[in-house]
Amino acid sequence: RLSERLPVEQDDEFGKLAQVFNQTFARLEESFDRLRRFTSDASHELRTPLTAIRSVGEVGLRKGLDADALREVISSMLEEADRLTKLVDSLLTLSRAESGTLKLRPEPTNLVALVSEVIECLEVLAEEKEQNIALMASQEAVADIDRGTIRQALMNVLDNAIKYSPQGSRISVCVEVSAGEATVEVSDGGPGIAPEHAKKVFDRFYRIDSGRSREVGGTGLGLAIARWAVEVNGGRIELESEPGKGSIFRIVLPVRES
Ligand code: ADP
């Protein structure tokens, strides 16, 4: 551990230098801690699908399995492999985000068109659950944003609305512009999020119900990525929810002054 500190004895330049040194050290220490925690959490998460692949594989090696049983084994292994791929992709995105190596290309982007594109991509998943996604937009909204990162944020939030809401429910996406800001609001009829979880759901690997998250193919990284993507584009992400009354996720972005 980096626990060394310089004693600050005087109020002169040496004292100030020692203070700066100590503060830098403390920041370094904090980032090492964060990195350590992240590596340990990530390893733990990677281990879950790997363990599943192993144990399903062992079942597959048992004697006397018929073709149908074998096919089932292979299909569960593929499902776990998909989970692993999703997790690794998300980890890569976050690590690029952290290191600042992801090159952003802000350009004037029509938000309503982008939102429709994302809805179109996820419509199949909603149809599987007989859910209806309604898009409401009263006016054009053009924001100077990096399309790719905001697309990812919208995908993650809408994907959650579909995943965590019941069969046959309605999801609405509303795009609005006011006071120099564009808001994309995703409302669902899901279980809602209690206040004690509301801030934490944006933390890496935080899940309210990890069994449920796993069941629906979650990685625990979706909202952490969404928050980073929105903030790096100069915006913010907000959550308004009450248990039993659904959730509203709001992505607020600065719009171009016309
Ligand atoms: P996951 O991959 O588990 O969905 P996220 O980071 O996207 O991870 O979300 C974190 C947690 O927040 C989820 O595990 C879930 O418990 C909760 N959550 C996210 N979106 C919703 C929603 N629309 N309704 C209810 N709970 C949600």
Side-chain angles (χ1 to χ4, degrees):
R1 264 188 92 76
L2 301 164
S3 50
E4 294 296 316
R5 290 285 182 277
L6 286 179
V8 183
E9 283 157 355
Q10 298 137 313
D11 198 20
D12 59 7
E13 257 147 49
F14 287 109
K16 280 194 196 116
L17 205 61
Q19 240 169 0
V20 170
F21 185 84
N22 288 344
Q23 281 162 0
T24 312
F25 238 66
R27 292 222 329 252
L28 258 178
E29 207 169 62
E30 236 174 66
S31 7
F32 277 133
D33 272 351
R34 238 184 309 136
L35 193 65
R36 225 176 281 135
R37 217 172 319 128
F38 182 59
T39 313
S40 130
D41 288 346
S43 315
H44 180 79
E45 294 294 330
L46 288 167
R47 191 178 271 163
T48 313
L50 278 175
T51 309
I53 290 176
R54 259 205 80 85
S55 50
V56 173
E58 276 163 13
V59 171
L61 281 180
R62 275 187 208 146
K63 284 196 186 119
L65 286 190
D66 63 19
D68 278 350
L70 267 178
R71 189 155 301 156
E72 213 168 288
V73 164
I74 293 170
S75 125
S76 336
M77 287 176 91
L78 289 178
E79 221 171 85
E80 292 300 333
D82 282 348
R83 195 187 297 277
L84 208 50
T85 308
K86 211 163 132 188
L87 189 55
V88 170
D89 283 347
S90 298
L91 285 171
L92 274 175
T93 305
L94 274 177
S95 118
R96 284 197 199 112
E98 191 105 303
S99 64
T101 53
L102 210 71
K103 193 98 194 79
L104 297 181
R105 287 191 193 84
E107 54 183 355
T109 305
N110 179 338
L111 272 181
V112 182
L114 184 61
V115 169
S116 326
E117 198 184 300
V118 169
I119 294 178
E120 213 170 291
C121 266
L122 295 177
E123 205 126 54
V124 191
L125 295 179
E127 272 165 18
E128 277 172 14
K129 292 182 77 178
E130 291 164 6
Q131 291 164 332
N132 175 264
I133 307 177
L135 170 62
M136 286 167 281
S138 52
Q139 65 190 102
E140 286 295 286
V142 178
D144 259 321
I145 49 161
D146 173 72
R147 245 184 102 78
T149 47
I150 292 300
R151 189 175 193 277
Q152 181 76 64
L154 291 167
M155 281 279 218
N156 293 2
V157 169
L158 190 59
D159 183 48
N160 279 349
I162 298 170
K163 281 192 310 197
Y164 295 108
S165 304
Q167 189 89 10
S169 60
R170 183 187 152 88
I171 294 162
S172 58
V173 187
C174 186
V175 186
E176 262 176 12
V177 183
S178 96
E181 290 183 328
T183 306
V184 181
E185 194 176 274
V186 179
S187 321
D188 67 47
I193 296 170
E196 67 266 30
H197 298 295
K199 278 235 158 61
K200 297 188 202 146
V201 290
F202 295 100
D203 290 348
R204 292 164 181 193
F205 301 119
Y206 188 84
R207 292 136 161 148
I208 299 168
D209 175 349
S210 51
R212 173 103 185 88
S213 160
R214 216 185 125 64
E215 207 178 288
V216 293
T219 60
L221 294 174
L223 288 178
I225 291 176
R227 180 174 60 181
W228 163 77
V230 171
E231 287 178 355
V232 87
N233 278 283
R236 61 182 189 276
I237 186 163
E238 300 167 349
L239 163 63
E240 185 186 319
S241 180
E242 224 182 291
K245 295 208 171 136
S247 309
I248 303 174
F249 280 89
R250 265 185 218 106
I251 291 177
V252 185
L253 295 164
V255 285
R256 243 155 63 113
E257 300 298 334
S258 50

